[in-house]
Amino acid sequence: VASFMHVPKNKAKRVFQSLGRIIKPGGIGLVTLKEGRGERVVKSEFGKRLFVFYENNEFFNLIENQSFRVLAQTTKPGAIGNWLCYLMQKEEEKNERSDS
């Protein structure tokens, strides 16, 4: 989900909640973010685009209490700054059936 780096931080938890509803349990995805702080609107040949930057611990705080877990995390150098890459899995639904 490279497009996640264009989601404003004040909407990020809501986006993960929506993803949690549509991705089936056990589903795996990759989230890539630019490392840094804050948000910036950048003009390019494609027009104005919002870029949102995260620090590693900030992303873990964001997904805390969400329905995903990080299977692996790595940082990759980019042309401008680093990429934070997270291999994630939607948690299996808990079986709440009681055996009575």
Side-chain angles (χ1 to χ4, degrees):
V1 184
S3 57
F4 190 76
M5 65 185 276
H6 302 292
V7 175
K9 287 187 180 184
N10 64 352
K11 295 182 179 178
K13 278 199 180 209
R14 207 166 354 148
V15 168
F16 265 99
Q17 290 168 345
S18 294
L19 288 171
R21 284 192 296 274
I22 62 173
I23 296 174
K24 72 180 193 175
I28 294 177
L30 180 69
V31 176
T32 57
L33 303 166
K34 289 300 279 184
E35 185 176 38
R37 293 183 181 163
E39 301 179 1
R40 283 194 290 278
V41 175
V42 176
K43 291 181 186 178
S44 74
E45 61 194 73
F46 306 108
K48 292 181 182 179
R49 298 190 321 171
L50 174 68
F51 285 85
V52 180
F53 301 88
Y54 283 87
E55 294 180 347
N56 194 40
N57 63 333
E58 183 180 17
F59 183 74
F60 277 98
N61 289 339
L62 169 69
I63 64 166
E64 187 175 17
N65 299 322
Q66 299 292 330
S67 58
F68 295 92
R69 64 186 178 109
V70 175
L71 299 175
Q73 189 278 325
T74 188
T75 302
K76 300 281 186 182
I80 301 174
N82 291 329
W83 288 97
L84 300 175
C85 308
Y86 302 90
L87 182 63
M88 302 181 67
Q89 183 175 38
K90 170 130 186 243
E91 293 178 345
E92 298 288 338
E93 293 179 356
K94 294 182 176 112
N95 186 355
E96 297 182 6
R97 188 182 72 164
S98 69
D99 295 318
S100 41

